[in-house]
Amino acid sequence: MVKTKIAVLVSGGGTNLQALLDAQAAGKLPHGEIVLVVSNKAGAYALTRAEQAGVATAVLTGPDFEARLNQLLASAGIEMIVLAGFLKILSAAFTAAWPERILNIHPSLIPSFCGEGYYGLKVHEEALRRGVKVTGATVHFVNEIPDGGRIVAQKAVEVLPGDTPESLQRRVMEQAEWILLPQAAEMVAEQLSLVK
Ligand code: GRF
């Protein structure tokens, strides 16, 4: 069986990347192989996590981001991309070149609290402001609409009395994101390995 070659795009701390690396080390990503981690921020801690796991890294900043990314992806033979806390919006031309091959994790139950401007703590602040009692995380394919591609997996998480954006963010990560993203990545990697 030929594994689906995966690149993970990151911008920050990389706890979701860590969940993917841990899943791979535990044999829970049997149809995929994380071969490249790309950051659009120099010094992102996610890069250290990748290095510690022995995965190749690259930092791409400045102009022509997508053109240089395309070169990197092509030379590494990448077949699937996972956005794990990647804060740059990819162009319609880029996403169209990777139909149902780019996954993103979003920390709410889409279509709530999603779209342009909803990232990081902002998502949880809005969930608390609106007073929802259940939130969660969504893994979806990436298309030209921010957070608008087909939903692959979702997991609900309770909002508790006294929650702050930070406590809610932490619970959503622990109970949903870090479980859901590796599961969804394996599911898509398996599907892609079958169509080769
Ligand atoms: C996560 O909440 C993820 O859902 C969102 O950005 C955050 C990234 O965190 N897209 P990390 O870098 O994976 O720790």
Side-chain angles (χ1 to χ4, degrees), residues 47-63:
L47 292 165
T48 307
R49 296 179 188 271
E51 283 157 17
Q52 283 169 353
V55 175
T57 60
V59 176
L60 287 182
T61 55

Side-chain angles (χ1 to χ4, degrees), residues 12-17 84-85 104-107 169 173 177:
T15 62
N16 280 289
L17 168 67
N104 181 45
I105 176 97
H106 183 76
Q169 179 183 54
M173 284 179 156
E177 295 186 49

Side-chain angles (χ1 to χ4, degrees), residues 82-102:
V82 179
L83 310 183
F86 180 67
L87 294 179
K88 199 175 170 72
I89 305 269
L90 295 167
S91 73
F94 188 93
T95 58
W98 292 85
E100 303 221 323
R101 283 176 181 262
I102 311 175

Side-chain angles (χ1 to χ4, degrees), residues 163-182:
D163 259 337
T164 61
E166 290 78 9
S167 68
L168 186 56
Q169 179 183 54
R170 182 78 197 175
R171 189 174 319 110
V172 169
M173 284 179 156
E174 284 175 356
Q175 295 185 6
E177 295 186 49
W178 300 340
I179 301 164
L180 206 60
L181 185 59

Side-chain angles (χ1 to χ4, degrees), residues 65-171:
F65 174 85
E66 289 184 358
R68 289 186 293 141
L69 178 61
N70 270 326
Q71 282 173 5
L72 270 179
L73 298 175
S75 60
I78 299 301
E79 300 162 296
M80 168 181 162
I81 300 170
V82 179
L83 310 183
F86 180 67
L87 294 179
K88 199 175 170 72
I89 305 269
L90 295 167
S91 73
F94 188 93
T95 58
W98 292 85
E100 303 221 323
R101 283 176 181 262
I102 311 175
L103 281 178
N104 181 45
I105 176 97
H106 183 76
S108 75
L109 294 174
I110 289 175
S112 290
F113 314 120
C114 66
E116 206 128 14
Y118 283 95
Y119 61 89
L121 276 179
K122 189 83 194 242
V123 178
H124 305 291
E125 280 164 13
E126 285 299 307
L128 290 176
R129 199 183 57 77
R130 192 64 184 79
V132 294
K133 303 302 174 206
V134 174
T135 184
T138 303
V139 176
H140 63 93
F141 286 119
V142 175
N143 64 10
E144 71 286 1
I145 303 158
D147 298 325
R150 187 158 73 85
I151 291 171
V152 175
Q154 288 188 306
K155 195 163 189 294
V157 174
E158 250 190 301
V159 179
L160 298 179
D163 259 337
T164 61
E166 290 78 9
S167 68
L168 186 56
Q169 179 183 54
R170 182 78 197 175
R171 189 174 319 110

